[in-house]
């Protein structure tokens, strides 16, 4: 019963009964474990945070930015935070779009994909000429509807790649509906860690993104 950890008690009359319960409750168990891991990441980050003053000033939100992240690019209504490590890097993008950019029709996933591809072409370039970040065309992203900061949010998970290059990796894109300010606030995290596990790095990105608080 050490903290932090989750303990699940599963009992049944026989093996089949226990397996049936596990299958029935698996999504709930996974969701609980993931939520706990994100909270633990947030607790660790609090010990050495990077200033979010520029984020507050530009977007009216606070964000718990973990140690090692630096402001890689700051433009009008666009911020790129990056943390480099031995085998790659983590990135967080912050920007906003009008509500109609996401909700112009019923094809939300296509609208979000087009939006992030446009942002990638304008801002996220490779070292080679004529290279920029796009959503990987070979695999359709997954779309979920969740709540972040008690606001309706579209969570998109997929793979990014550099057009005309060979770099790629996973991304998580949170489009948070901010009706009061007539916008979708976009918080996106993506990682580049070739040939190595990316799980913990993605958890770190989600921990930072889910710490968001709206100040106005």
């Amino acid at each position: 019963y050490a903290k932090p950890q989750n303990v699940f008690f599963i009992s049944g009359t026989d093996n089949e009964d226990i397996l049936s319960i596990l299958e029935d409750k698996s999504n709930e168990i996974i969701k609980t474990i993931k939520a706990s891991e994100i909270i633990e990441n947030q607790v660790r980050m609090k010990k050495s945070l990077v200033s979010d003053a520029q984020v507050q000033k530009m977007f009216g939100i606070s964000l718990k930015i973990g140690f090692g992240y630096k402001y890689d690019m700051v433009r009008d209504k666009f911020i790129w935070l990056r943390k480099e490590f031995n085998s790659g890097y983590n990135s967080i993008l912050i920007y906003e779009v009008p509500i109609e950019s996401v909700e112009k029709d019923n094809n939300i996933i296509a609208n979000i994909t087009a939006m992030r591809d446009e942002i990638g072409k304008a801002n996220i370039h490779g070292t080679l000429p004529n290279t920029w970040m796009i959503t990987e065309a070979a695999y359709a992203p997954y779309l979920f509807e969740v709540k972040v900061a008690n606001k309706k949010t579209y969570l998109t998970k997929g793979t990014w790649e550099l057009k005309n290059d060979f770099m790629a990796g996973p991304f998580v894109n949170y489009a948070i509906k901010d009706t009061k300010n007539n916008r979708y606030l976009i918080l996106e995290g993506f990682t580049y860690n070739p040939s190595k596990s990316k799980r913990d790095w993605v958890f770190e990105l989600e921990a930072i993104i889910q710490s968001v608080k709206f100040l106005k």
Side-chain angles (χ1 to χ4, degrees), residues 33-202:
I33 293 170
K34 183 176 178 182
S36 297
E37 289 203 33
I38 287 175
I39 290 169
E40 178 58 21
N41 264 278
Q42 290 172 342
V43 169
R44 292 177 184 176
M45 287 190 305
K46 284 180 182 178
K47 297 175 182 177
S48 186
L49 293 175
V50 173
S51 171
D52 66 343
Q54 293 189 73
V55 176
Q56 290 192 32
K57 183 178 179 181
M58 190 175 293
F59 296 102
I61 61 169
S62 68
L63 208 60
K64 289 182 172 61
I65 304 168
F67 175 77
Y69 285 86
K70 296 180 180 179
Y71 287 85
D72 194 74
M73 184 184 294
V74 179
R75 294 180 174 174
D76 182 40
K77 296 299 180 183
F78 179 85
I79 289 177
W80 179 6
L81 293 154
R82 179 152 61 171
K83 173 182 178 177
E84 295 190 1
F85 43 87
N86 289 337
S87 55
Y89 59 82
N90 253 12
S91 287
I92 293 174
L93 307 181
I94 310 168
Y95 56 97
E96 62 183 41
V97 297
I99 287 177
E100 56 268 22
S101 294
V102 175
E103 298 183 358
K104 59 187 175 183
D105 53 41
N106 293 327
N107 198 343
I108 301 296
I109 189 69
N111 298 339
I112 290 175
T113 299
M115 171 194 71
R116 67 179 309 278
D117 287 353
E118 183 179 339
I119 290 293
K121 188 170 186 178
N123 299 287
I124 315 298
H125 303 141
T127 54
L128 299 176
N130 200 33
T131 57
W132 65 89
M133 187 174 74
I134 61 171
T135 309
E136 186 174 7
Y139 302 98
Y142 293 95
L143 181 69
F144 309 89
E145 192 170 320
V146 298
K147 287 269 189 179
V148 174
N150 205 32
K151 296 181 185 295
K152 176 183 176 180
T153 301
Y154 289 114
L155 167 58
T156 308
K157 294 186 175 186
T159 308
W160 64 271
E161 62 181 353
L162 276 190
K163 189 174 180 65
N164 303 319
D165 203 346
F166 297 101
M167 294 175 67
F171 75 84
V172 288
N173 181 292
Y174 287 76
I176 307 171
K177 188 172 184 178
D178 182 14
T179 307
K180 185 177 179 181
N181 294 296
N182 194 32
R183 65 177 179 174
Y184 267 94
L185 177 74
I186 311 299
L187 297 173
E188 175 170 323
F190 64 94
T191 191
Y192 177 65
N193 194 24
S195 304
K196 295 187 178 180
S197 173
K198 301 161 185 63
R199 177 185 179 275
D200 289 346
W201 294 115
V202 173

